[in-house]
Amino acid sequence: MFANDAPRHVVPRWRTATITSAAGELTPLSEGPRPPMSDKDFLGDKLAEWREQQTVAHAADVVGSAIVLGQDAAAREAAEFLVANATEVPSPTYRLALRVLGREVVSGDLHTAIRTLRRQLHEEPRSPLTWVDLARAYSIVGQATQATQAMRAALQLAPQHRFVLRSAARLQLHHRDPEHAHDMLRRNTATRHDPWLMAAEIAIAELVDRSSNLLKTARDLVEGRSFAPQHLAELASALATHELRAGNRKRARRLFQRALEAPTENVIAQAEWVARQQGPVEVDDRLLQTPRCFEARAFDHFWEGRWASSLEETWRWLEDEPFSILPVIHGSFVAAVMLEDYAGAEAIIARGCGANRQDPRLINNLVFALASGGQVPRAIKLHKQARPTPQDDDLYVTWLATSGLLQFRSGAHSEGRRLYLEAIERASGVARQHQRAMASLFLAREEILSRSGYGAAAFERARLLSAALQLPYLGVLSTRLEHLLRAQDVETP
Amino acid sequence: MVRGRDMRPAQRLVGHVLDGGWRVLELVDRGPDDTGGHFSVGYIIEGPNGRRAFLKALDYSRALASSDPARELLKLTAKFVFERDVLDKCRAVGLSRIVVAIQAGKVVVDTSNQAGVVEYLIFELADGDVRKFVHLSRNCDLAWTLRCLHHVATALGQLHGQRIAHQDLKPSNVMVYGGVISKVGDLGSAAYQGHSGPHDEQAFAGDPSYAPPELLYKQISPDWNQRRFGCDAYLLGSMTVFMFTGSIMSSLLLAKLDASQHWREWRGSFAELLPQLRQAFGASLLELRENLECDCRDEVVEIVRQLCDPDPGQRGHPRTRASIGNPYSLERYISWFDRLARRAELARMR
């Protein structure tokens, strides 16, 4: 399974409230002037007194005041003093001193994070953002019920808050209920005024094949420029994707240009995806240096054939959105298929499976990696747990092909061949050309490796099918098989 | 001609003998510097009976050097007169936990011009401010810390009883006498209900390092109680946090916000920032709790939770808020700190 198969939409990212704030997604739509600054020096006396007295309390007073006054640099000397006298310094002040010195400590693992968030909520149960962060943490470890309960609490406290609503919608998508996500956004009055919510509503409407009622309002907003460009980027991108789907390439191009004026990394990832689909947009390489642009960089490296770099960025993408299945699917594909690093594929699946342990696409990629790496009994056991119904066409084709792999690796070549051919046969439509080519390539690989005598014929079919698609990575796989075949010819007298 | 710093009359009081026989001994606070934070100079003085005191002399020189001396002098005088009047009121009604002026007066330092007359206030000399006495380590003197907070709460309660809000409670304004008595000083930023003051136009007249979030973010309530007493309530809670952690509440809150959300950068409304502040508040309370090892941990955290709520509309004791009268009344906290202090004092005796 390959992540870039599916259409992409600008659905909201879901990061912690802190990271979302730092990304600028929580800045107000209407910004007044910055408050006037007083020219009084409120730190001077405190610095003089601390230098004279040299006590922890005086140093702490300097550090605390400097943080509130936004003059952290002036408190470095006092902060150094506090750090040097750590045993005498209470931990909250010690942490502030580290902050002033730019040495903040990163928190621990996810279960520790959940415990901390719960304790923070015990202290302040009226914090909607903490409830959202808790819902996210529960999602990552796969505790869906707790995640839903936490998100419900957040929605009760702040039913119109941008971050809460976007996160709640994303949770519903994660729970495979995009209709609910769309209903929630569509019915909320805040969505009619906030371009970030409007963008999510339009993107999710596209995802569930519904028509958004906000398209006209959204177009007016984007063209009206009454908000700063960063507030309109995701909305313009969602509209562009809608126009592209409707066949209006010219409009889509103009909207993508607008979106890329001050893009979020999500907008860049969307534009990158559209560009790779021969869409009407070009993504400047410099945009890929935008912070947290992991997804776009992962795919950029992928399409440029830099598999190891693609996998590295995918790991970062997964750390950024640990509940998302897409980085796991992409990463495991790159590791297992392109790099033939089966342990690497298993590792990324293990990291991402907490939130998606029942997902058949993920199980399929794990079975493929295990079987290819020689762990056939374990792969067979897992494979049995994830049998889809024939009605679920895409998954069933993949499942058949992987069943073929398991048969080959168990020594049942003819049964393996039959299953692969059935998969190829089922993937006959234009929309499944990619699946067909992949199944053919994997069948050829197994024929060659098993020295069944059908290797050359299977390779020829796979070569033709993959060449027709003109996808660079299929070309790489095809060439790899050709070398394998030639090596066998040399070995065989 | 630009006059040198040492030529300013307020800087030249050492050796002068004031009304009542007070002799000026030593300059301890040079007052206004180049950036100008305040308009007074501090001295140690000694009375005829050998009793020492603190003298705060008004320095007109900065006002005179400004581009509009008349206006600056007027402002400066208004501030001085206001503080003196408030102190007179406190002394008249006998506020025991407020550092009140023993005497006010003026001394002629330079007869050649009008600025040569220096007005002053004399205060009881403290051993130092609370930063000199508080022990922030985990084996701190809990009874002393709680008794100090009881005194501070009492001081604010006494002021509130006179419809005066302090507005600048901070560690350097909590003065310690004889090592055991704490009093609150510096009423220079106070607000007096029913009396126009020199700071009425300012969101927060005190040191912004300690200001409550709503005033840092310029959300000024039209309700006097909320704006003034609500501010004092926050400052008392923040002082409590300082006494146990060394940090003030606003520093804990702001350290958890993104740089773009710092009050110097934020361009949205206070209401838009409140969810982020509330999240930071929960994390700060947890930090406080984790730092406390005393029996009264739950109660101290509860006091801070009520006094430092980032939303001034939610601040204060729930029962007080539900009743008629000043919702920010500190009476319950005075009793609460007293009870906690007594318990700790009893434990210390064992």
Side-chain angles (χ1 to χ4, degrees):
Chain A
M1 274 279 177
F2 176 42
N4 223 27
D5 284 352
R8 192 187 188 284
H9 302 277
V10 203
V11 297
R13 293 288 195 208
W14 186 11
R15 300 180 173 116
T16 64
T18 305
I19 294 174
T20 306
S21 291
E25 285 187 31
L26 297 183
T27 51
L29 292 176
S30 310
E31 295 190 318
R34 284 198 177 83
M37 295 296 120
S38 165
D39 62 350
K40 286 186 183 172
D41 176 14
F42 290 100
L43 210 53
D45 277 355
K46 295 185 192 97
L47 279 166
E49 285 173 282
W50 121 252
R51 283 181 186 130
E52 189 185 322
Q53 301 285 338
Q54 295 281 310
T55 72
V56 167
H58 282 86
D61 196 22
V62 167
V63 167
S65 295
I67 286 170
V68 179
L69 295 171
Q71 299 175 7
D72 294 25
R76 286 190 66 88
E77 195 187 337
E80 294 278 12
F81 174 85
L82 291 171
V83 171
N85 291 280
T87 54
E88 296 295 310
V89 179
S91 52
T93 296
Y94 183 73
R95 277 196 283 273
L96 292 185
L98 288 180
R99 181 186 185 275
V100 162
L101 297 172
R103 296 188 225 150
E104 279 176 278
V105 182
V106 181
S107 54
D109 63 38
L110 205 59
H111 292 283
T112 310
I114 289 176
R115 221 168 24 248
T116 304
L117 288 165
R118 286 176 60 92
R119 295 187 69 198
Q120 287 177 0
L121 283 165
H122 179 76
E123 300 297 348
E124 179 46 287
R126 297 165 297 172
S127 169
L129 306 193
T130 315
W131 281 112
V132 173
D133 282 353
L134 183 65
R136 181 177 180 276
Y138 275 133
S139 289
I140 295 167
V141 295
Q143 296 188 26
T145 309
Q146 287 89 335
T148 303
Q149 286 168 350
M151 190 59 85
R152 198 175 295 140
L155 281 165
Q156 280 168 356
L157 287 163
Q160 300 207 314
H161 194 276
R162 183 191 303 161
F163 173 69
V164 175
L165 272 172
R166 280 165 62 91
S167 303
R170 186 60 197 260
L171 178 67
Q172 292 305 328
L173 294 184
H174 181 60
H175 289 173
R176 310 254 185 283
D177 195 355
E179 287 83 5
H180 186 184
H182 183 244
D183 289 342
M184 190 178 61
L185 287 167
R186 187 168 53 96
R187 287 176 189 152
N188 199 302
T189 52
T191 308
R192 288 177 222 151
H193 314 290
D194 187 320
W196 294 88
L197 292 172
M198 215 179 279
E201 193 272 342
I202 291 168
I204 297 172
E206 288 285 316
L207 187 70
V208 292
D209 275 327
R210 287 180 179 174
S211 174
S212 168
N213 293 329
L214 293 170
L215 290 172
K216 186 179 178 313
T217 314
R219 283 188 197 109
D220 291 346
L221 265 187
V222 170
E223 281 160 23
R225 293 180 180 257
S226 47
F227 296 123
Q230 75 264 23
H231 291 304
L232 297 172
E234 291 209 0
L235 183 58
S237 180
L239 279 176
T241 309
H242 168 79
E243 296 292 0
L244 194 60
R245 205 172 169 216
N248 302 321
R249 288 176 67 87
K250 205 170 163 186
R251 272 195 206 169
R253 174 190 293 277
R254 210 172 54 237
L255 285 162
F256 271 122
Q257 281 170 350
R258 182 90 171 92
L260 291 172
E261 281 176 20
T264 62
E265 68 70 37
N266 195 7
V267 166
I268 297 168
Q270 183 71 7
E272 202 273 347
W273 178 81
V274 169
R276 296 294 174 193
Q277 310 290 319
Q278 314 302 321
V281 62
E282 286 160 14
V283 180
D284 191 313
D285 279 352
R286 282 171 299 186
L287 284 176
L288 295 175
Q289 302 314 312
T290 302
R292 298 193 171 270
C293 215
F294 310 124
E295 181 189 348
R297 283 201 289 266
F299 282 112
D300 182 64
H301 290 316
F302 177 81
W303 291 107
E304 296 297 329
R306 298 189 293 267
W307 319 123
S309 303
S310 177
L311 184 58
E312 271 177 39
E313 289 295 342
T314 308
W315 268 105
R316 291 187 190 114
W317 176 18
L318 180 60
E319 293 305 322
D320 194 36
E321 287 202 300
F323 55 86
S324 173
I325 195 168
L326 296 179
V328 191
I329 292 175
H330 178 70
S332 56
F333 178 86
V334 172
V337 178
M338 306 314 300
L339 290 167
E340 296 179 326
D341 172 8
Y342 307 120
E346 199 182 339
I348 199 165
I349 291 168
R351 176 69 182 86
C353 84
N356 303 284
R357 57 172 64 97
Q358 300 300 329
D359 192 286
R361 294 168 295 175
L362 218 153
I363 294 173
N364 176 75
N365 283 14
L366 182 57
V367 169
F368 178 88
L370 289 172
S372 301
Q375 298 186 57
V376 180
R378 205 176 137 206
I380 290 171
K381 199 174 164 190
L382 258 176
H383 190 59
K384 281 179 183 161
Q385 296 170 10
R387 182 183 179 132
T389 60
Q391 287 74 34
D392 197 346
D393 282 347
D394 279 353
L395 287 174
Y396 193 65
V397 166
T398 306
W399 186 84
L400 278 174
T402 307
S403 304
L405 166 68
L406 291 172
Q407 291 299 329
F408 263 104
R409 295 295 166 122
S410 305
H413 299 172
S414 47
E415 179 60 8
R417 188 174 303 119
R418 186 191 71 73
L419 287 163
Y420 264 122
L421 288 173
E422 189 182 341
I424 293 165
E425 180 65 25
R426 275 181 171 266
S428 55
V430 176
R432 297 222 177 88
Q433 279 181 319
H434 180 259
Q435 264 188 314
R436 191 176 163 89
M438 289 299 292
S440 303
L441 285 164
F442 289 131
L443 170 59
R445 182 182 78 156
E446 294 311 306
E447 296 283 18
I448 295 166
L449 289 175
S450 64
R451 296 172 186 267
S452 65
Y454 294 102
F459 168 69
E460 191 51 25
R461 179 179 46 223
R463 190 184 66 77
L464 289 172
L465 283 172
S466 52
L469 290 175
Q470 296 186 317
L471 293 170
Y473 65 95
L474 293 182
V476 169
L477 292 176
S478 178
T479 306
R480 199 182 283 169
L481 289 179
E482 193 176 0
H483 290 161
L484 197 62
L485 199 60
R486 278 195 196 149
Q488 279 190 358
D489 287 346
V490 172
E491 283 172 26
T492 312
Chain B
M1 190 181 92
V2 178
R3 306 185 73 178
R5 168 173 277 197
D6 57 347
M7 297 298 287
R8 294 181 299 194
Q11 301 270 356
R12 293 157 47 199
L13 296 189
V14 173
H16 280 264
V17 178
L18 314 173
D19 292 346
W22 295 97
R23 179 181 294 277
V24 182
L25 297 181
E26 181 191 347
L27 186 148
V28 289
D29 179 359
R30 291 186 67 84
D33 52 22
D34 292 341
T35 47
H38 38 209
F39 298 89
S40 62
V41 184
Y43 291 91
I44 303 290
I45 59 173
E46 190 175 69
N49 55 359
R51 178 191 178 195
R52 292 199 166 193
F54 177 79
L55 180 137
K56 181 176 173 180
L58 188 63
D59 188 347
Y60 289 114
S61 56
R62 186 177 149 83
L64 288 170
S66 75
S67 58
D68 190 350
R71 184 184 298 273
E72 289 301 315
L73 272 175
L74 203 64
K75 277 164 62 179
L76 191 53
T77 311
K79 280 183 189 177
F80 181 78
V81 169
F82 179 78
E83 184 179 359
R84 192 188 62 196
D85 291 350
V86 170
L87 285 165
D88 280 349
K89 171 76 178 172
C90 293
R91 189 170 54 174
V93 295
L95 301 191
S96 59
R97 296 289 169 222
I98 299 297
V99 182
V100 290
I102 301 168
Q103 182 183 314
K106 57 187 171 190
V107 57
V108 180
V109 179
D110 183 351
T111 52
S112 64
N113 65 57
Q114 203 181 352
V117 179
V118 177
E119 295 202 66
Y120 61 81
L121 292 164
I122 297 175
F123 298 92
E124 192 181 351
L125 185 64
D127 300 332
D129 71 54
V130 76
R131 291 172 298 176
K132 200 172 160 186
F133 293 88
V134 69
H135 292 283
L136 296 174
S137 57
R138 293 204 167 193
N139 52 357
C140 70
D141 185 343
L142 182 65
W144 188 91
T145 300
L146 290 165
R147 183 54 68 197
C148 174
L149 285 167
H150 169 237
H151 289 169
V152 172
T154 306
L156 293 183
Q158 289 176 343
L159 285 174
H160 291 191
Q162 303 305 315
R163 306 305 293 171
I164 297 167
H166 187 281
Q167 306 291 278
D168 197 20
L169 179 69
K170 56 184 177 182
S172 61
N173 282 342
V174 176
M175 312 309 293
V176 180
Y177 297 84
V180 288
I181 303 292
S182 301
K183 295 187 182 186
V184 172
D186 193 354
L187 295 176
S189 304
Y192 192 175
Q193 193 172 25
H195 297 72
S196 61
H199 311 297
D200 289 351
E201 299 304 312
Q202 289 174 256
F204 184 72
D207 182 342
S209 315
Y210 308 93
E214 73 274 15
L215 297 183
L216 284 175
Y217 289 90
K218 307 289 185 286
Q219 154 134 329
I220 299 164
S221 170
D223 173 17
W224 199 92
N225 280 344
Q226 184 173 100
R227 178 179 172 185
R228 303 300 190 183
F229 289 156
C231 168
D232 273 4
Y234 179 89
L235 295 176
L236 176 60
S238 187
M239 192 70 207
T240 308
V241 179
F242 178 82
M243 295 292 278
F244 285 102
T245 70
S247 297
I248 44 180
M249 181 51 95
S250 293
S251 67
L252 294 179
L253 294 176
L254 290 175
K256 290 168 188 64
L257 300 184
D258 183 64
S260 65
Q261 294 163 345
H262 191 280
W263 63 278
R264 284 181 176 265
E265 297 296 327
W266 183 249
R267 294 165 69 187
S269 67
F270 178 68
E272 285 171 306
L273 192 67
L274 204 49
Q276 281 91 317
L277 282 169
R278 204 161 272 301
Q279 183 173 41
F281 186 51
S284 302
L285 288 176
L286 181 57
E287 278 185 294
L288 171 67
R289 181 183 293 281
E290 286 176 339
N291 190 64
L292 294 172
E293 282 185 351
C294 52
D295 292 342
C296 58
R297 177 170 64 182
D298 289 348
E299 289 174 273
V300 170
V301 173
E302 188 54 36
I303 287 170
V304 172
R305 185 200 321 285
Q306 293 175 10
L307 288 173
C308 287
D309 195 301
D311 180 354
Q314 301 289 315
R315 203 172 287 157
H317 197 286
R319 281 195 210 150
T320 310
R321 277 195 283 114
S323 59
I324 297 166
N326 171 18
Y328 304 99
S329 167
L330 300 178
E331 292 307 314
R332 289 180 193 275
Y333 300 102
I334 295 168
S335 308
W336 204 341
F337 278 124
D338 186 36
R339 194 168 62 245
L340 293 177
R342 280 182 196 283
R343 212 186 288 161
E345 284 156 1
L346 193 66
R348 194 170 54 178
M349 281 180 212
R350 285 181 194 140

